[in-house]
Every structure is written in C-alpha cells, then in structure tokens.
Amino acid sequence: MTTEPTPAALLAAAVGPAPADIEVPLPPTFDSVEAERQYRKEQLAAGFRLFGRFGFSEGVAGHITVRDPENPNWFWVNPFGMSFHQIKASDLILVDHEGTLLHGNRLVNKAAFVIHSQVHAARPDSIAAAHSHSLYGKAFSSLGIPLDPITQDACAFFEDHALYSDYRGVVNETEEGKRIAAALGSCKAVILQNHGLLTVGQSVAEAVWWFVTMERSCQAQLLAMAAGTPKLIDRETALTTRGQLGTHLAGWFQARPLWDQITASDPDLFD
C-alpha cells in the first residue's frame, strides 16, 4: 500500500523548502451534496474533453465514471455515442449498478455499467474510473505483459497495476465485469489484454491522470522495446519513486495543469 505524503511533503519533494505561508492546493471539500455533485460532474465533463484532446476515442468506445456523492451505488457517465469533444456537464447521465437510467434522456453504454459497476462495487475507495481504447494502450495490451519500471513516470505503476488476460469480446455480461474488478484488485490500474487500459482514483482528476500517464508509459515502453532492450530501474528505487509520484494526492495534483488548460479553452463544458 502506497503511503500518502502530507501536502507539505509533496511540495518539498517537488520544489524544495518553501515558506510556511505557502498554501498547497488540495482537493476541495463541500458544504452540500448538491455542490459536490456539480463539482464531480464538471470534473467528469472536463475529463472527457481531455480524452478527446488526447485522441483517446475510437468510435463509441470508452467511458469515465464518477460516483454520485449522495448514493455511492449510482454513478455519472457519458451518454452512449456522444463525442468526447462535445460533452458538457449537463449531458451526463446517472445510472445504477443494474444500468437503470436515473437521470438524463440518452442511451446508456452497456459495457460502461457492466465494467464500471463492478469496479465501483469492488473498490469502495475509488470515486472514479476511466477506460478507453487509446492507441498505445491497446497496442501494449496485446503483448500480455505488465509495464516495466524503465522511466520515472512508469514507476507510478510499479507493483501497482494488474493484467486481465481473459478477453472474451465486447463486455456485455456482469460476470466479466466482476473478473476485471477482481484482476484490478487494490491497484490503481489494470491492463485489459487485447482491449486497453482502465484506471481508478479517489477523484476524476486522479483517474484521468493515471490514464494519461499510463498511456504515455505504454508508448515509451513500445518505443524502447522497438529500439533495443530497455534497462530496468531497480526495485528499491522504483518503489521509492512510486511513493513520490504514485499517491492519490500526487495523481490529483499532477492533473491540475490539464484541468486549467481544458477549462480555459472549453468553458462551455460547464453548461
């Protein structure tokens, strides 16, 4: 289990000693369920815009979910068949673990609730989950191997990601969702063999960041393997680096520049 650093330790690790009056940005807290729900929906809409910006779309495949703060057995998700580039907070739909539409008037992606309902059920600590058929993630998944600690960024996943090797086509059955959740275990990510990547987090920002950096780590390892034999970072150093880069707070914090960028360029996502 990765130990969470204090905000002060996170700042010190990144920039060195700082004056005591410097405030470290932290995930927000809320006075009402309604305010937290709106925040989570806006974060989710921003996450989809980022997925679109990074090219993590393949037709109608892919989904990000976030639990509803009032009922953790409900989650918000993208409407089936809607472009990531166009999703607004008001477009999101609310479903339960059986796929029943509770809010909204658009189609529900069956694979989204089959996978995510079981992941959310198995991981009550995770608020959000992200999955898409990104290019390098699906290419790497076909190898049936885990990510190696060959870069600093990849160390965030060292001994903290899993491999699900039982691909059976488009996920339409709850039992396969349960198997994926079981493979994920307590990790932050799972490589779905012949399929793609799935990440989880204690916020939408964290889950989306793990997906972005895992996709890039897959790309880096594919490039390195094509060029030669990558040199591995030793286990002790990899674990130390994971403790610096792979925590919930570090994941949330590293996503902040992306959120600032997308909310500035796409203000309509808040509609």
Side-chain angles (χ1 to χ4, degrees), residues 28-41 69:
T29 57
F30 301 91
D31 295 327
S32 69
V33 168
E34 291 76 18
E36 186 169 7
R37 177 181 294 120
Q38 184 61 27
Y39 173 80
R40 290 188 183 186
K41 290 174 66 178

Side-chain angles (χ1 to χ4, degrees), residues 5 21 24 36 98 153 196 206 232 243:
D21 59 348
V24 181
E36 186 169 7
E98 285 69 49
D153 299 313
E206 183 192 348
L232 302 187

Side-chain angles (χ1 to χ4, degrees), residues 45-110:
F48 284 117
R49 295 294 181 99
L50 286 168
F51 267 34
R53 190 72 59 87
F54 279 106
F56 296 163
S57 58
E58 186 78 15
V60 299
H63 18 85
I64 314 172
T65 54
V66 65
R67 293 183 194 273
D68 185 79
E70 184 173 16
N71 189 324
N73 293 319
W74 300 346
F75 55 86
W76 295 89
V77 65
N78 49 312
F80 189 41
M82 187 172 189
S83 169
F84 291 167
H85 292 275
Q86 298 177 314
I87 292 177
K88 303 176 182 179
S90 58
D91 293 318
L92 299 170
I93 58 178
L94 181 67
V95 299
D96 62 18
H97 284 185
E98 285 69 49
T100 304
L101 183 64
L102 303 173
H103 177 86
N105 57 1
R106 295 175 181 267
L107 295 175
V108 180
N109 183 341
K110 186 175 183 180

Side-chain angles (χ1 to χ4, degrees), residues 47-252:
F48 284 117
R49 295 294 181 99
L50 286 168
F51 267 34
R53 190 72 59 87
F54 279 106
F56 296 163
S57 58
E58 186 78 15
V60 299
H63 18 85
I64 314 172
T65 54
V66 65
R67 293 183 194 273
D68 185 79
E70 184 173 16
N71 189 324
N73 293 319
W74 300 346
F75 55 86
W76 295 89
V77 65
N78 49 312
F80 189 41
M82 187 172 189
S83 169
F84 291 167
H85 292 275
Q86 298 177 314
I87 292 177
K88 303 176 182 179
S90 58
D91 293 318
L92 299 170
I93 58 178
L94 181 67
V95 299
D96 62 18
H97 284 185
E98 285 69 49
T100 304
L101 183 64
L102 303 173
H103 177 86
N105 57 1
R106 295 175 181 267
L107 295 175
V108 180
N109 183 341
K110 186 175 183 180
F113 79 80
V114 167
I115 296 174
H116 288 246
S117 66
Q118 301 310 307
V119 169
H120 283 299
R123 290 289 301 275
D125 61 308
S126 293
I127 299 299
H131 166 66
S132 184
H133 298 180
S134 53
L135 178 59
Y136 298 103
K138 62 185 178 182
F140 190 86
S141 76
S142 71
L143 301 176
I145 60 174
L147 277 172
D148 286 329
I150 62 171
T151 66
Q152 175 174 292
D153 299 313
C155 286
F157 301 97
F158 183 66
E159 295 185 3
D160 196 19
H161 73 289
L163 175 66
Y164 175 72
S165 58
D166 192 21
Y167 178 72
R168 301 187 184 184
V170 177
V171 182
N172 285 319
E173 301 297 333
T174 301
E175 284 305 311
E176 185 163 5
K178 290 181 178 179
R179 291 193 295 272
I180 290 173
L184 173 67
S186 61
C187 298
K188 63 165 60 77
V190 59
I191 297 171
L192 308 177
Q193 187 171 303
N194 307 112
H195 189 170
L197 310 176
L198 185 144
T199 59
V200 297
Q202 292 186 356
S203 63
V204 174
E206 183 192 348
V208 167
W209 172 253
W210 296 143
F211 194 98
V212 169
T213 192
M214 193 176 200
E215 164 76 2
R216 288 175 163 176
S217 294
C218 288
Q219 181 183 7
Q221 186 164 334
L222 288 169
L223 290 170
M225 291 169 65
T229 302
K231 302 297 184 183
L232 302 187
I233 297 169
D234 67 89
R235 184 173 187 272
E236 182 179 357
T237 302
L239 287 173
T240 298
T241 306
R242 189 190 75 186
Q244 297 166 331
L245 299 179
T247 65
H248 300 300
L249 183 57
W252 177 86

